[in-house]
Amino acid sequence: MLGVYVSGTSGSHINPAVTFANCVLRKFPWRKWPVYAVSQLLGGMCAAAIIYGNYKSAIDVYEGGRNMRTVPGYSDTATGGIFCTYPAEFMTRTGHFFSEFIASAILMFVIFALNDEGNLGAGPFTPLALFFTIFGIGACFGWETGYAINLARDFGPRLVSYMIGYGPEVWRAGNYYFWVPIVAPFLGCTFGGWLYDMFLYVGADSPVNTPYLGLPRLIGLPVRKPHEGSQSCV
């Protein structure tokens, strides 16, 4: 919530998957996506480094030594979960993906709803509403996989944990689970945003509200405009 308030001048983008969905469905400039994504990733990495620097002494004691750094599933005193998400032991690879996909879809659906002034809209209370949204997602879907619905929040700190000595297990844990929080949020956010536009949104900036559900626009084909005096079907 506080991150959204702080980053308001840039559009409150703190999640690469949300930015991606806005590029696909809200005409957010594609040229800005790489800059936003890299900035978000570096922010997550910096935050993880600060946390490690602050708690290094406590981690040394809990893990059993300065050179002991373990991740969940490899030790009873693992601290790798401080930095990034690791799935519950009973989760299958399909379960990993489905959980993150659904959580991301819910997130994007609600974000579009909160920003839709043609519906109800949350206005300046959008960050507070997002707090309750993500709290709810965590309560309902977080136990199994840590609801890693943000690449910057998961991959960035995971990379930092690898760099500071947690070893290759940060990639191997959970049957190489690390790729799920990278891929699933992009697909889930795009799908959730598409659902909102398909059934609720009426704004012309969404490709869903253009001829053929925006497919010509997506692949760069020209769309023939209706003759003057005729009525469009959208």
Side-chain angles (χ1 to χ4, degrees):
M1 180 184 72
L2 297 178
V4 173
Y5 272 120
V6 169
S7 60
T9 56
S10 65
S12 303
H13 289 225
I14 55 178
N15 185 334
V18 172
T19 304
F20 180 84
N22 275 277
C23 289
V24 174
L25 298 166
R26 288 295 183 274
K27 293 185 177 181
F28 188 78
W30 282 103
R31 60 182 173 80
K32 291 186 178 182
W33 184 83
V35 178
Y36 273 58
V38 170
S39 299
Q40 293 154 356
L41 183 64
L42 291 176
M45 294 178 68
C46 289
I50 291 171
I51 293 299
Y52 180 73
N54 187 70
Y55 287 101
K56 182 179 182 301
S57 297
I59 291 173
D60 290 342
V61 173
Y62 187 76
E63 288 267 20
R66 293 185 177 180
N67 298 321
M68 296 295 295
R69 296 292 183 268
T70 56
V71 303
Y74 290 85
S75 168
D76 292 333
T77 56
T79 57
I82 294 173
F83 303 97
C84 53
T85 60
Y86 293 91
E89 294 182 2
F90 61 83
M91 291 291 289
T92 65
R93 184 173 296 180
T94 301
H96 296 166
F97 189 89
F98 183 75
S99 179
E100 303 299 347
F101 178 86
I102 293 299
S104 299
I106 294 172
L107 173 67
M108 198 69 239
F109 188 96
V110 174
I111 288 176
F112 275 0
L114 295 175
N115 287 310
D116 184 4
E117 296 299 332
N119 190 351
L120 182 59
F125 294 102
T126 296
L128 180 62
L130 279 175
F131 162 76
F132 288 108
T133 299
I134 297 177
F135 180 85
I137 291 173
C140 297
F141 296 95
W143 176 58
E144 295 178 330
T145 60
Y147 64 109
I149 52 180
N150 187 339
L151 179 154
R153 176 261 174 274
D154 190 83
F155 181 74
R158 191 182 300 271
L159 187 58
V160 169
S161 67
Y162 175 74
M163 294 166 60
I164 60 181
Y166 281 85
E169 285 76 19
V170 302
W171 314 113
R172 296 172 182 166
N175 195 18
Y176 292 91
Y177 159 81
F178 78 92
W179 67 269
V180 175
I182 296 176
V183 177
F186 285 96
L187 298 178
C189 281
T190 304
F191 178 69
W194 178 85
L195 280 179
Y196 185 81
D197 285 7
M198 188 69 181
F199 295 103
L200 294 173
Y201 191 59
V202 296
D205 55 334
S206 171
V208 176
N209 294 328
T210 61
Y212 306 105
L213 297 181
L215 182 60
R217 192 175 91 180
L218 181 65
I219 62 179
L221 293 178
V223 179
R224 184 173 62 87
K225 295 182 180 180
H227 294 294
E228 185 176 355
S230 65
Q231 292 184 343
S232 172
C233 62
V234 294

